[in-house]
Amino acid sequence: MKPNQTMTDDAVDQAGRALAQSLKAEAEQLPPEIQARLEGARAQALAAARAAREASAVQADASGQAVLAGGPGGRKRFGAAWLPALVLVLGLVALAQGQWFQQVLGISEVDTELLKDQLPPNAYGDPGFNEYLDEDAQKSDKEARPEDDQKDEGA
């Protein structure tokens, strides 16, 4: 058979039956203690497979349609799947609340400074106040650099 060809279901079933028949014939020739160990291992494997099938979240019914398992194992996995999403949402809510709180603190600091200032709050809305601040800033810049004026006079 070429590597890109696949076996049909009938061919797979036929190969499986032939393999099982040859294994059964060889198993009859094994010593009794090995046969007992193999039977015990087979029973354990079947029990584990049965438990895994029952714990599966999706099972197939007799018609081959998928049905959800209603066992307690499915609920545990469902709860565990939502836990990281819940933690993420709670973390985002906490970050949003923290940012909101920082904004409120910043605004309250500005309000506190405005109310403590000698200048009335209405003055900040006056258009002439900005001109006064610009003139005041220019005067303070000139007063801060008197050594520049002295260098120009001495040169």
Side-chain angles (χ1 to χ4, degrees):
M1 180 172 20
K2 294 180 182 176
N4 60 355
Q5 292 179 339
T6 58
M7 296 177 69
T8 63
D9 289 341
D10 292 335
V12 171
D13 287 342
Q14 194 175 28
R17 283 190 203 106
L19 181 62
Q21 190 176 23
S22 66
L23 286 174
K24 190 180 284 186
E26 292 294 322
E28 292 173 358
Q29 298 174 2
L30 290 174
E33 60 271 356
I34 293 178
Q35 286 181 354
R37 283 191 5 220
L38 286 174
E39 286 176 14
R42 181 177 186 274
Q44 286 179 348
L46 288 174
R50 191 175 304 116
R53 208 173 324 119
E54 289 173 0
S56 165
V58 178
Q59 296 179 353
D61 62 2
S63 65
Q65 293 180 346
V67 292
L68 291 175
R75 290 187 184 141
K76 288 179 186 174
R77 280 196 300 269
F78 181 74
W82 283 99
L83 184 62
L86 180 65
V87 169
L88 176 68
V89 168
L90 291 175
L92 291 174
V93 168
L95 284 173
Q97 289 294 324
Q99 289 178 350
W100 174 80
F101 188 68
Q102 290 296 325
Q103 288 176 347
V104 168
L105 285 178
I107 291 171
S108 67
E109 287 177 11
V110 170
D111 288 346
T112 303
E113 291 298 321
L114 282 174
L115 292 173
K116 286 187 344 185
D117 196 8
Q118 293 176 357
L119 191 64
N122 293 343
Y124 290 102
D126 186 14
F129 181 68
N130 288 334
E131 293 175 18
Y132 168 74
L133 288 177
D134 290 339
E135 289 175 8
D136 193 34
Q138 289 174 359
K139 286 180 184 176
S140 63
D141 284 344
K142 286 182 181 178
E143 290 173 3
R145 292 186 263 160
E147 63 276 351
D148 292 337
D149 293 338
Q150 290 175 356
K151 288 180 185 176
D152 291 338
E153 292 172 4

